[in-house]
Amino acid sequence: WRATFSVIQKETGFVNGLITVLHDITEQEKIEMERRDFVSNVSHELRTPLTTMRSYLEALSDGAINEPELGKQFLSVAQTETERMIRLVTDLLQLSRMDSREYELNTDFVDFVKFFNRIIDRFEMAKSKEITFIRELPVTPLYVEIDTDKVTQVIDNIISNAQKYSPDGGSIRFTVTANDGELLVEIKDTGMGIPKEQVDRIFDRFYRVDRARARSMGGTGLGLAISREMIIAHNGKIWAESIEGKGTSIFFTLPYGLVDEEDEWD
Ligand code: ADP
């Protein structure tokens, strides 16, 4: 809904009426609004690193280039900003491919437990913070049909967020349960959490709870939006639960154990 207010005012200046018109925003209008927001967000996200680079390059050509230490430092800023833009454009291209359905899932049958363990191992090896990893994974194999590159990207993204938004001394708990027809994966951290009214928005494109903080950590604000598209492409669901100051759980499901009997006997 969108409201338009008209004030009815007499020549004397006294307000003696207020008309409120509520418009139903049609689906089409909503899509159009989202598109405009998206274009404006993209422009803003690209403009920021570009203006930073411009000032540093200007300073370099104004003489900083002749001071070895300063010159090196300014070049490194320009490099960091270039890398941020490359990440952003890569993410945008990926989203646009998913939007236009210009992609195929390259699926394989894999044991999800083994697959998940390998990803967690990789993070555990490269850990930069004091964060304890707790695995609550089944001991028996659980076979799923997934595009391993895409699901790896989803899990990578969730684990890096869990690390990014957690202090030293925290923990990340990994849980997998097989229910009827689906696999439920939970990645639970003991980090800063997300305010209640914003939890569902973190999967929106460019949505960040704390823009400045997230940017300083190098994020593009597109990671979870891409993850959501990828999970939907697998016919799964993804959502979050969080308590501010206590921690966040990201859940996703994948179809599991649904043997298509017709295929089987064809
Ligand atoms: P970013 O690149 O900013 O991390 P994401 O799409 O991955 O973008 O996440 C969107 C936002 O959701 C983040 O900026 C952060 O505010 C919030 N968020 C995601 N995961 C967590 C988490 N585990 N704990 C707290 N906040 C999180």
Side-chain angles (χ1 to χ4, degrees), residues 161-162 164-165 189 193-194 202 207-209 214 219-221 223-224 248:
N161 279 342
K164 263 200 287 194
Y165 303 108
D189 66 57
I194 301 162
I202 62 170
Y207 194 83
R208 285 175 286 202
V209 175
T220 62
L224 287 178
T248 303

